[in-house]
Amino acid sequence: QVTLVESGGGLVQTGGSLTLSCVASSRTVTTWAMGWFRQAPGKEREFVAAIDWSGGGKFYADSVKGRFTISRERYGTTVKLEMTNLKPEDTAVYYCNTGTRSSRVQDYRLGGVGRTWGQGTQVTVSS
């Protein structure tokens, strides 16, 4: 059983930056792709970014491309999401995710989600 714990959320002004972290409880995830999703009030959860087990393959939602960077160490159990030039529309609860069908970034590209979620961390961007 893998658990994920996110941290790093908070309140920031428009144009500011935050870095989120997600720590997995098991080294099982070192060969799994991991991803970030977010859910704003009244909206459905949406994909943000994903990264493969090596840290080399990455995939981003168009809405965050060029502003967010996902990273992890090769065989690492921690994945980070560096968020810059934040906008009010980035306000949401951000969730870490892993355990997709084939454990690859391709799963996220195809709209898949993993079976394991963290509890989420709130990011609020004030205008």
Side-chain angles (χ1 to χ4, degrees):
Q1 182 77 14
V2 176
T3 59
L4 303 173
V5 178
E6 303 98 332
S7 63
L11 173 64
V12 64
Q13 291 185 332
T14 296
S17 301
L18 280 175
T19 298
L20 307 182
S21 293
C22 170
V23 180
S25 62
S26 170
R27 294 200 61 79
T28 300
V29 306
T30 58
T31 57
W32 293 0
M34 299 183 73
W36 286 95
F37 288 74
R38 65 187 182 187
Q39 187 167 20
K43 294 187 177 181
E44 294 187 355
R45 192 172 297 187
E46 65 174 0
F47 170 80
V48 175
I51 190 167
D52 70 12
W53 63 271
S54 71
K58 303 177 184 180
F59 176 56
Y60 296 93
D62 288 343
S63 60
V64 306
K65 205 172 292 183
R67 299 188 298 121
F68 290 12
T69 302
I70 189 170
S71 64
R72 72 188 294 186
E73 292 184 356
R74 188 180 178 95
Y75 294 120
T77 58
T78 300
V79 61
K80 295 188 177 183
L81 185 68
E82 181 182 1
M83 306 183 295
T84 63
N85 191 21
L86 283 161
K87 305 174 181 180
E89 51 263 43
D90 294 318
T91 295
V93 178
Y94 284 71
Y95 297 92
C96 187
N97 176 263
T98 193
T100 59
R101 182 177 167 211
S102 64
S103 304
R104 297 162 54 199
V105 167
Q106 184 69 4
D107 295 330
Y108 290 106
R109 288 181 184 273
L110 296 175
V113 297
R115 59 187 174 273
T116 301
W117 294 91
Q119 83 290 349
T121 186
Q122 176 70 48
V123 172
T124 302
V125 184
S126 63
S127 57

